[in-house]
Amino acid sequence: MQAYILGIDIGTGSTKAVAISLTGEALGTVSEHYPINSPEPGYSEQDPKLIWDAFVKCLSGITAKLGAPQAVGLSSAMHSIIPVNDAGDALYPMITWADARSENIAQALRATEKGASLYHNCGTAIHPMSPLSKLLWLKDNESEIFNAAHKFISIKEYIWFKLFGVFEVDYSIASATGMFDIVAKQWSNEALDLIGIPASKLSQPVNTTYYRANVNQSVVLTTGIATQTPFVAGASDGACANLGSHTTGEGIAALTIGTSGAVRITHSKPFYNYEAMVFNYLLDEQTFVCGGAVNNGGIALNWLLKNFLKKENPGSADYNALFAEIAAVPAGSEGLIFLPYLYGERAPLWDTKTSGTFFNVKPAHTRSHFLRAGLEGICFALNDVLKTLEDASGEITQVNISGGFTSSAVWTQVLADITGKKLAVLQSEDSSAMGAIYLAARVIHPQSYEQLTKVEHQQIIQPSENNHAVYSRMFPVFKKLYADLKDTMHLVDGWE
Ligand code: ADP
């Protein structure tokens, strides 16, 4: 059988295992889904046991076809928290990144000097997604669980404990907790003091290329993995995605639009911007992944499809019809501008009370103009994050794109024209799983690293100069509109 490395990405909706040969050939993919529960408005919880079961099924599914891998690299979603006992069993449901129960705590902290100091120390936005806010909530609202917990861990540490019986966390996942000093690479005393816990309540931090073998015998028996197979700790899904999509050089950014969206660059030092709360997560000891995530990606486009075209669960024919209609309208939608903040906004506004707005509506505007302006608004908002990063890091000349929106040539061209940047679409498997494979290869198979990580094929999308000129005139107006309307939006918050 062919020698291969396995990358496993433990995502929010599913876990996905991707097998790649030492020469970079895709050998197989297995994925397993699990539910997200919302027992109360704003809550987002999962059962970590179900995620472990999915992880085991993914491992077994691959080894049944390909035998044991040379190494396994791990990637996982950020910001989850699980209070556990000393046997690694959950004492409470896992709270996911999307959970908003600590909104008031985060908002109050953000307005203080302590909030700014914590951001500068730990690199994570002061936001309900952050485990820091979640632990403050647990302390106030579930004090018995909070006091009884042996440790507070993420889903990656939960799985690592089941594999090896130790509590260890990679620098990358630790750096997204809001409790980790990203420069000293140790738990932040400032954060621990605020929560009122000692560092022993958290796992031992390790580098992202740290590995262990001698996996638990029960895992060997159930999954077909070899006892000696090294498991590399790996990084978070966002950091792995930068590595997996070859976005680690200077002047290059990664931009994803799926349900939500994000822009990320890598750099040797963090970029601090408290107003935009640029995140600084570690990829490895020397590399920071800096960027911002937006709420209103594909989810805002789907709102347009539902309400203007009556498509509730759009399939590819519906997307094709939508983009054909959009393509018939000139760039700039003849002056119609859309602020896409239907679901509030994270970077760079950090405003849960903002909302969507169509501006400058004229009699000549038709449904198609509203659709095109809607799409342009989503891209302007991502351009806003890109520009914030560019201001801090220096000129960005290439943007590597990924996510569901890359299926549309119209959408990707609008993004190229708005940003004025060359876009590259990489033909690869899941980029987070690929990043985990690359981290594993770096330490276990350095001799194969170059061949394995070679970029085989990339499709390039060049911006149109004319359209970019139109959008360059509109972008400052887009920004000013939000600034002008912000207070009025807040006045009507909750009127729906
Ligand atoms: P996630 O992993 O965040 O759930 P995906 O990366 O799968 O999301 O992207 C989903 C989004 O991609 C949809 O919300 C939609 O906006 C967009 N999308 C899906 N299919 C198409 C298509 N055929 N053409 C254009 N956009 C599409």
Side-chain angles (χ1 to χ4, degrees):
M1 275 191 216
Q2 216 170 345
Y4 72 99
I5 300 182
L6 187 61
I8 306 187
D9 177 33
I10 306 150
T12 311
S14 65
T15 285
K16 189 172 189 187
V18 176
I20 301 287
S21 78
L22 295 181
T23 50
E25 189 191 341
L27 299 180
T29 299
V30 175
S31 63
E32 286 287 332
H33 291 259
Y34 30 76
I36 303 170
N37 309 315
S38 188
E40 290 187 43
Y43 281 37
S44 174
E45 298 182 343
Q46 291 186 294
D47 180 352
K49 177 74 176 53
L50 295 182
I51 302 180
W52 166 248
D53 292 345
F55 182 89
V56 167
K57 276 192 195 154
C58 286
L59 259 184
S60 326
I62 291 281
T63 56
K65 281 188 249 162
L66 302 173
Q70 301 289 304
V72 182
L74 302 181
S75 156
S76 86
M78 291 177 268
H79 313 305
S80 60
I81 201 90
I82 319 165
V84 292
N85 63 18
D86 59 0
D89 299 320
L91 302 178
Y92 193 79
M94 175 177 119
I95 308 179
T96 82
W97 63 270
D99 192 283
R101 73 185 73 183
S102 59
E103 172 81 46
N104 292 341
I105 291 173
Q107 250 183 29
L109 182 58
R110 207 190 148 197
T112 62
E113 273 178 29
K114 171 71 73 193
S117 166
L118 281 165
Y119 165 77
H120 284 93
N121 188 219
C122 303
T124 300
I126 309 296
H127 186 265
M129 72 185 176
S130 148
L132 169 83
S133 313
K134 290 169 176 151
L135 285 184
L136 289 169
W137 183 91
L138 270 176
K139 186 182 176 184
D140 286 353
N141 296 277
E142 293 284 356
S143 56
E144 265 182 43
I145 301 283
F146 182 84
N147 292 326
H150 173 66
K151 299 239 185 236
F152 299 102
I153 62 175
S154 72
I155 187 60
K156 173 109 68 91
E157 294 148 79
Y158 180 89
I159 283 174
W160 194 254
F161 187 85
K162 292 228 176 285
L163 295 170
F164 298 109
V166 288
F167 290 108
E168 289 168 332
V169 60
D170 63 75
Y171 288 161
S172 185
I173 288 291
S175 69
T177 60
M179 303 185 285
F180 192 67
D181 181 328
I182 53 174
V183 176
K185 297 180 188 69
Q186 60 191 31
W187 295 113
S188 152
N189 287 331
E190 194 178 3
L192 296 178
D193 288 350
L194 180 70
I195 305 166
I197 53 169
S200 59
K201 289 274 179 184
L202 304 173
S203 298
Q204 174 65 38
V206 296
N207 197 8
T208 52
T209 48
Y210 172 85
Y211 64 93
R212 274 185 181 269
N214 292 319
V215 68
N216 204 319
Q217 271 310 301
S218 65
V219 179
V220 173
L221 294 175
T222 46
T223 66
I225 202 96
T227 309
Q228 286 311 318
T229 305
F231 281 72
V232 178
S236 68
D237 52 3
C240 279
N242 264 53
L243 185 63
S245 64
H246 306 267
T247 314
T248 48
E250 264 186 34
I252 179 163
L255 187 151
T256 308
I257 308 177
T259 306
S260 57
V263 189
R264 302 179 304 265
I265 56 168
T266 56
H267 205 259
S268 55
K269 59 180 195 329
F271 291 122
Y272 298 108
N273 180 335
Y274 191 50
E275 205 189 318
M277 286 203 290
V278 168
F279 61 67
N280 290 288
Y281 302 142
L282 284 155
L283 168 60
D284 56 35
E285 271 172 315
Q286 295 91 23
T287 318
F288 291 88
V289 173
C290 319
V294 305
N295 291 346
N296 299 284
I299 196 168
L301 191 84
N302 286 1
W303 175 84
L304 293 168
L305 269 160
K306 181 176 160 202
N307 292 293
F308 286 79
L309 298 179
K310 302 281 168 258
K311 302 293 178 197
E312 281 273 357
N313 295 304
S316 57
D318 302 317
Y319 285 111
N320 291 346
L322 169 76
F323 286 109
E325 192 166 337
I326 285 175
V329 177
S333 305
E334 302 187 282
L336 185 62
I337 298 180
F338 179 58
L339 298 184
Y341 310 127
L342 299 170
Y343 298 90
E345 194 50 291
R346 283 183 280 170
L349 314 180
W350 298 97
D351 185 352
T352 49
K353 296 180 183 161
T354 182
S355 51
T357 303
F358 279 102
F359 176 75
N360 194 29
V361 186
K362 294 284 164 75
H365 290 138
T366 63
R367 177 179 84 170
S368 313
H369 288 84
F370 279 78
L371 294 174
R372 182 164 186 121
L375 183 77
E376 290 172 343
I378 295 168
C379 295
F380 276 135
L382 281 148
N383 192 44
D384 204 1
V385 181
L386 184 69
K387 285 258 176 287
T388 305
L389 292 177
E390 195 168 36
D391 288 348
S393 71
E395 197 190 0
I396 290 167
T397 51
Q398 177 171 321
V399 180
N400 289 348
I401 57 171
S402 60
F405 90 112
T406 56
S407 322
S408 164
V410 175
W411 194 342
T412 51
Q413 189 62 53
V414 168
L415 185 77
D417 294 350
I418 284 182
T419 58
K421 309 287 186 202
K422 176 174 90 173
L423 309 185
V425 198
L426 298 164
Q427 307 290 305
S428 81
E429 300 291 320
D430 181 86
S431 58
S432 297
M434 287 304 288
I437 289 171
Y438 293 170
L439 279 170
R442 228 190 241 179
V443 55
I444 307 292
H445 265 276
Q447 65 281 21
S448 313
Y449 191 72
E450 206 170 304
Q451 173 72 19
L452 180 62
T453 56
K454 213 160 67 190
V455 179
E456 289 296 346
H457 173 69
Q458 57 181 34
Q459 180 200 345
I460 298 291
I461 299 149
Q462 293 288 359
S464 139
E465 269 183 39
N466 288 343
N467 291 351
H468 183 55
V470 173
Y471 290 132
S472 299
R473 196 170 62 135
M474 290 177 91
F475 183 62
V477 180
F478 172 89
K479 297 240 328 158
K480 185 170 181 320
L481 247 189
Y482 168 73
D484 290 349
L485 289 179
K486 181 177 170 185
D487 289 347
T488 318
M489 284 170 168
H490 289 193
L491 264 185
V492 297
D493 179 48
W495 279 21
E496 66 268 21

